Amino acid sequence: MWVRGLLLLALLCLSACHHGMDPVAFHDDGYPPKLSDWHVVEARDGVLQLNEGVVPYELNTPLFTDYAHKLRTIWMPKGVSAKYSPTDTFDFPVGTIISKTFFYPLPKDKPRNATDIARTYDTSRDFAGQGLNLAHVHLIETRLLVRRKDGWVAIPYVWNAEQTDAVLARTGDVQALTLVSDDGKREDFNYVVPDQSQCVSCHAHDWTTRAIQPIGPKARHLNRDYRYADGDENELTHLVREGYLTGAPDPADAPRNANWMDTHASLDARARAYLDINCGHCHNPKGAANTTGLTLDITTLEDRHIGICKPPTAAGQGTGDHLFDIVPGHSDDSIIPYRLSSAVPGTMMPELGRSTVHEEGVALIKAWIASLPGQCVVMH
C-alpha cells in the first residue's frame, strides 16, 4: 500500500508542475519575443517548470560551456516520433522543439556579488522535481532548436534579471560573470551568448548545405539512465515509451559513449567521448573543419585522422610552433591540448562557445596523449 501511495504522490507532484501552464505552442514561422510564448519551460512558483510532454535528458559526456550546467528537453506533437539512427542525429519530425537552458548554481554559504556564480560539478541543489530550483540557480539563456517544414531553426533567448522570463536575443548577448570555486578562488569572464547566425558554425553537420541539426540527440550520447519523476530509466527506453522514438534497439545493443568523468571507464574511451562531443561536430568529413584532415568524432579510427603524428594544414598561430596535432607520449608537444588550453581568439578551440579554459577537460586529454604509444618522425 505504501508503494502505491508514493506512486500516487509522485504523479500528483508531476501534475502540479503543469498546473496553470498553457499547452506547448509550436510556432511554424517567425520569432516569438519571449520564451514563455512557447510554453515549453516557464518560471513559476520558484521553479523553472517543464510543461506536459516535455521530456528532460542528459548526455553521457556533455559539451563544455564555461562550466555552465544545462537542462535539456525534447517535446513533440502527439502522433509523431523521431526515427532512430545508430550513428547520426535522430530524424526528428516537423513540430519538434528541443530546448537547452544554460544556468549556474549559486555559491553556497558565501556572501556573493550579483555576478557571482559557482564553479562546481555538484548538481544536488539544481533540481526541484524535473525542473530547476530558482532559489539555488541563476538562469542565463535558453536556446531552442525548432523543427519547421523547411528544416531546423535556432532561436536564442536570454533570461531577464528578475529570472521571470527570457527574451529573444537574435544578436546574442555578453554577460560579465565571476566563477567562484569552493575554495574561494575567483575567475572573472565574459559569458557570450552567440548570435543566431553563429549557430550554424557548430550545428551544420554538412558544411556544403549548412543546414543545422541538433548535436546531442544521438544514440551514443543518450544511452544512459536519467532520474525521471517516476524513477530511473534509460533515456532511449524512456523516449520509446513516451512515443518520441521508433526503431531503437535494446540499450545493450546501442552504442554508448563513456562519461568523461567516470574513472571506471578506460582513459581512451573518456578522452574520445570528450573530443567527440566538443570537437566532432566540426571535425568530421562533412563538417566545418573538414579541410583540416583532423577528424575527431568517435567513429574515427585511431590513426592520423585523429591527429596522431599529423601535421597541421592551416592552423596558423594555433599551432604554438608545435609540429603535430598529437605526439604520442608528449602532450606538451601536441597542438590539440595547446589549443584547448587557450582562451585567445585565433588560437583557442573550440572557436565558439567558451571564454574560459576547461581545466579538467584539458587534463584528461593530456593524460590520454601521454598514455599513447609510438613516436612521430620529423621529415627534413
Side-chain angles (χ1 to χ4, degrees), residues 74 76 80-84 90-93 96 243-248:
I74 298 174
M76 296 181 208
V80 298
S81 58
K83 296 178 183 177
Y84 176 85
F90 298 154
D91 184 7
F92 288 94
T96 301
Y244 279 7
L245 183 63
T246 60

Side-chain angles (χ1 to χ4, degrees), residues 20 49 131 148 184 199 216 237 247 283 360:
Q49 298 181 6
R148 290 174 171 167
C199 296
T237 301
H283 284 277
E360 297 84 355

Side-chain angles (χ1 to χ4, degrees), residues 168-189:
L168 183 64
R170 295 183 66 190
T171 58
D173 190 35
V174 178
Q175 298 185 22
L177 298 173
T178 302
L179 286 165
V180 182
S181 303
D182 289 340
D183 61 4
K185 179 183 176 182
R186 302 171 64 85
E187 179 181 358
D188 297 330
F189 75 103

